[in-house]
Amino acid sequence: MTLQRKAAPDSRALTRSGAGAAPRRPLRVRFSRWVKGGGIWAIVFGAPLLIIFGYFAWGPIISGVVLSLQKTNFLTTTWVGWSNFEFVLTDPVLPKAVGNTLLFTAISLLIGAPLPLALAVVMAELRRRKGLYSALAYLPVVIPPVVGILLWKVMYLPGKEGLLNSILGSVGLGPFAWLNSEQMVIPSMVVASTWAGAGTAVIIYLAALGGVRPELYEAAELDGAGVWRRIWHVTLPQIRGIVLILLLLQIIGTLQVFNEPKLLTGGGPNNASITILMVIYQYGFVNSNYGAAAALSVMLALALALISVAYQFATRRWSDND
């Protein structure tokens, strides 16, 4: 006798025909369940927050883009298309400002990026008075930025009456022109900026170092690792996510430097310290050319967005390994 098995029904055919799919509830039932689940109250409480956030966060961005296509004195407004962008791109001061900004960013990354990390690692290795050193490192951050910059302006006074020149003069060095020298003005501003902002990065690095598991250091010590090998093979890999984020924030912040050149030099000498944000300031608040100021702001924002995206792609492999 020959047994004939019944062929199992094709699941794909059942799915296509709808026989295997779960029955869909009517729209009225699903809406009723959404209302009973608090959906309306979620909208009632969430909508004001979204509207306020959108108005204050995205409203100025949209207004800036619109303003970049206009010529206005806020009494009369005319659409000028790309004229503001053409004006900005043909401004002979812009290449100098871009070069100064990039130089400031490069020197800041060279000095300001490793210094807070090194200070935090040294403090983490200390056994006593760690809180005192943390407070001293963070102290410059609590000083108002304008006050701190004006203090550095006094320290950078040229001639022997300047504090730095008087100190260096005691060992036979100087006097140096500092802010009056085209070659020294950018490094001098970087030192002031690093002094003012390094404390925040030190505190963040210390918090990240506190999260590193002690057994990793104990295992490294059992393997005979010294201080530098523990830092290189344990500390840095464990906090590299924080390091990458702070590095990106520092790049964005230094490309928008304004306080130091504005208060220390006003962009001088001979435009040697003028930056992109100072050009925007001059367009908007000195020349009342609001369209050009908005156009340069839009271009700077797009450049920062592209740099951030490229940075994320370039460091994605290191971040994924956390």
Side-chain angles (χ1 to χ4, degrees):
M1 184 173 60
T2 304
L3 296 178
Q4 295 182 349
R5 294 183 179 178
K6 290 185 178 180
D10 189 353
S11 59
R12 290 175 296 181
L14 291 176
T15 302
R16 283 196 297 269
S17 63
R24 291 177 60 85
R25 294 186 178 91
L27 180 61
R28 182 175 57 82
V29 176
R30 283 183 288 162
F31 179 74
S32 176
R33 289 173 61 88
W34 176 75
V35 171
K36 291 179 180 177
I40 291 181
W41 288 110
I43 292 179
V44 169
F45 286 107
L49 179 63
L50 292 176
I51 292 172
I52 293 173
F53 177 80
Y55 181 79
F56 287 103
W58 290 96
I61 297 175
I62 297 173
S63 300
V65 173
V66 173
L67 188 61
S68 68
L69 303 174
Q70 296 175 336
K71 185 175 182 61
T72 180
N73 57 6
F74 296 112
L75 295 177
T76 59
T77 300
T78 56
W79 290 90
V80 296
W82 301 104
S83 297
N84 289 323
F85 292 90
E86 295 173 359
F87 172 79
V88 169
L89 292 175
T90 56
D91 189 345
V93 178
L94 184 62
K96 185 70 174 177
V98 172
N100 291 338
T101 304
L102 293 177
L103 179 61
F104 182 89
T105 300
I107 300 177
S108 295
L109 293 177
L110 192 64
I111 299 175
L115 181 62
L117 179 58
L119 288 174
V121 171
V122 171
M123 290 181 189
E125 293 289 332
L126 296 176
R127 304 297 182 188
R128 301 175 58 186
R129 298 178 180 176
K130 189 183 298 183
L132 173 62
Y133 295 124
S134 301
L136 291 176
Y138 194 71
L139 184 60
V141 180
V142 302
I143 297 176
V146 174
V147 175
I149 293 172
L150 293 179
L151 286 174
W152 277 99
K153 191 171 186 176
V154 174
M155 295 173 68
Y156 279 140
L157 283 176
K160 296 182 180 179
E161 66 273 18
L163 179 59
L164 287 180
N165 279 335
S166 63
I167 295 174
L168 295 175
S170 62
V171 293
L173 298 177
F176 298 101
W178 303 116
L179 302 177
N180 294 334
S181 167
E182 295 186 20
Q183 290 74 33
M184 298 184 67
V185 62
I186 295 290
S188 301
M189 290 194 310
V190 170
V191 172
S193 175
T194 302
W195 171 84
T200 301
V202 169
I203 296 301
I204 295 175
Y205 282 135
L206 282 174
L209 291 172
V212 180
R213 290 178 295 170
E215 55 265 30
L216 296 176
Y217 290 112
E218 294 171 0
E221 290 178 357
L222 290 176
D223 291 338
V227 174
W228 292 111
R229 290 185 64 187
R230 291 203 305 271
I231 293 173
W232 185 256
H233 293 289
V234 178
T235 302
L236 292 180
Q238 291 295 312
I239 65 170
R240 65 183 164 207
I242 300 296
V243 173
L244 293 175
I245 291 175
L246 286 181
L247 190 58
L248 175 61
L249 294 178
Q250 186 174 8
I251 293 172
I252 294 174
T254 52
L255 286 174
Q256 300 181 78
V257 59
F258 176 76
N259 289 339
E260 285 78 7
K262 176 61 180 175
L263 296 176
L264 286 175
T265 64
N270 194 23
N271 286 336
S273 62
I274 194 169
T275 60
I276 297 175
L277 251 63
M278 283 199 68
V279 176
I280 295 174
Y281 175 85
Q282 290 180 354
Y283 284 157
F285 297 100
V286 178
N287 302 328
S288 299
N289 192 346
Y290 306 109
L296 185 52
S297 301
V298 169
M299 286 191 286
L300 177 61
L302 290 175
L304 293 177
L306 291 175
I307 291 173
S308 300
V309 172
Y311 182 88
Q312 290 294 332
F313 275 103
T315 61
R316 183 173 52 183
R317 183 171 62 88
W318 298 327
S319 300
D320 291 342
N321 290 334
D322 286 341

